Amino acid sequence: MARSALLNVMVQAALKAGKSLGRDFGEVQNLQVSVKGPGDFVSTADRKAEKIVREELLKARPTYGFLGEESEEIKGTDGAHRWIVDPLDGTTNFLHGIPAFAVSIALERNGEIVAAVVFNPATDELYTAERGGGAFLNDRRLRVAARRSLSDCVIGCGVPALGKRNHGKFLVELRHVMGEVAGIRRLGSPTLDLAYVAAGRFDGFWEAELAPWDMAAGILLIREAGGFTTDWDGGATMLESGTIVAGNEIIHKALIEVVKRPVPAK
């Protein structure tokens, strides 16, 4: 596949950060036996990866804005462009030696995501997309799954973490979806969950209370793989509302209806 200069910059930044995370991941696995645990080590790895990504991206495009999970937002002087970055999505997996985590980089232009890179260094899987150019996994063209009935589908989801609100609301959503689908999966990394929808591994996905860096890259990957991503009301406010539903045209619509199904009166 041919990549633009901007996408090449993003890929190189993700690969460089991923190489750093890969080395640290091996150390984290060794730290599991310690009493103190690897929490501080992982925080350092996370910040180091963001520093690598930020420096690589801003070196190439110094006027662009930068929104990352681990540092204050840089507004930039460009006004039209912003990098949206999660240097380590799946921190809890990383902390426990589970090889499901990723570097996520998206480029926003005038409010629209136009390029995306997701890299899992543990599996050496590189997802890329540019608006109008398709989505790819290690240079293989991606298409969302074509299943048309929820009863045949495996659906990804997010589970509210400790300290998050709405655990009860999620359990109601889960009960509704479980009654309609073949299976439900949670990877522990919304970035990878969405990439799996783009790759046809998951038929759909839903989650609430996400940050922009959790889903910016995945939104474009899915759209360029022929899928649909909206907020829970079917609109385009995912980055603002923190809610997302994804799938092919039929599954996306059906999943919204199930997720928003009202709680039965007692």
Side-chain angles (χ1 to χ4, degrees):
M1 59 166 286
R3 294 176 182 153
S4 70
L6 271 175
L7 189 61
N8 277 325
V9 167
M10 297 166 68
V11 167
Q12 291 310 308
L15 293 178
K16 189 172 181 179
K19 185 176 181 179
S20 175
L21 287 174
R23 288 193 299 265
D24 290 336
F25 184 61
E27 294 300 317
V28 166
Q29 290 176 307
N30 294 332
L31 288 170
Q32 294 302 321
V33 297
S34 70
V35 175
K36 182 179 179 182
D40 292 339
F41 183 89
V42 172
S43 295
T44 301
D46 202 338
R47 290 192 298 269
K48 182 167 59 176
E50 178 159 314
K51 183 174 184 292
I52 290 170
V53 173
R54 185 174 63 248
E55 289 179 351
E56 290 292 311
L57 296 179
L58 295 182
K59 180 173 62 177
R61 295 293 189 276
T63 63
Y64 287 12
F66 185 95
L67 177 65
E69 183 177 15
E70 301 302 324
S71 60
E72 291 187 8
E73 181 175 3
I74 300 171
K75 292 297 184 180
T77 58
D78 175 276
H81 295 87
R82 178 173 68 159
W83 303 111
I84 304 176
V85 173
D86 193 340
L88 175 53
D89 186 56
T91 305
T92 301
N93 286 345
F94 191 93
L95 177 72
H96 287 269
I98 300 169
F101 57 91
V103 181
S104 175
I105 305 173
L107 176 61
E108 183 183 57
R109 178 180 296 140
N110 295 320
E112 296 288 333
I113 307 301
V114 297
V117 173
V118 172
F119 178 53
N120 181 352
T123 59
D124 202 32
E125 290 189 328
L126 177 69
Y127 298 84
T128 57
E130 291 187 272
R131 189 169 63 180
F136 297 83
L137 169 55
N138 294 345
D139 295 334
R140 178 176 62 84
R141 184 70 179 259
L142 296 181
R143 296 295 298 177
V144 294
R147 294 179 183 87
R148 303 173 64 86
S149 173
L150 279 177
S151 61
D152 296 325
C153 291
V154 170
I155 302 296
C157 72
V159 178
L162 182 67
K164 289 290 186 76
R165 304 166 297 164
N166 297 327
H167 286 91
K169 182 175 181 295
F170 167 73
L171 291 175
V172 172
E173 296 161 13
L174 182 62
R175 185 175 69 202
H176 289 161
V177 177
M178 284 176 62
E180 302 285 345
V181 303
I184 292 178
R185 300 291 184 270
R186 170 55 166 159
L187 290 180
S189 165
T191 291
L192 287 180
D193 285 320
L194 293 169
Y196 274 30
V197 174
R201 295 172 177 175
F202 290 169
D203 298 283
F205 177 78
W206 93 96
E207 189 166 359
E209 297 191 65
L210 291 175
W213 47 78
D214 292 322
M215 52 181 161
I219 287 169
L220 186 65
L221 285 171
I222 291 170
R223 288 177 174 174
E224 288 299 319
F228 289 74
T229 58
T230 67
D231 58 36
W232 285 21
D233 293 319
T237 69
M238 293 84 72
L239 299 187
E240 294 78 25
S241 69
T243 66
I244 189 167
V245 179
N248 67 32
E249 183 176 11
I250 293 172
I251 298 306
H252 167 263
K253 182 179 179 180
L255 190 55
I256 286 180
E257 293 176 357
V258 175
V259 167
K260 294 187 66 177
R261 187 176 297 165
V263 179
K266 292 184 178 180

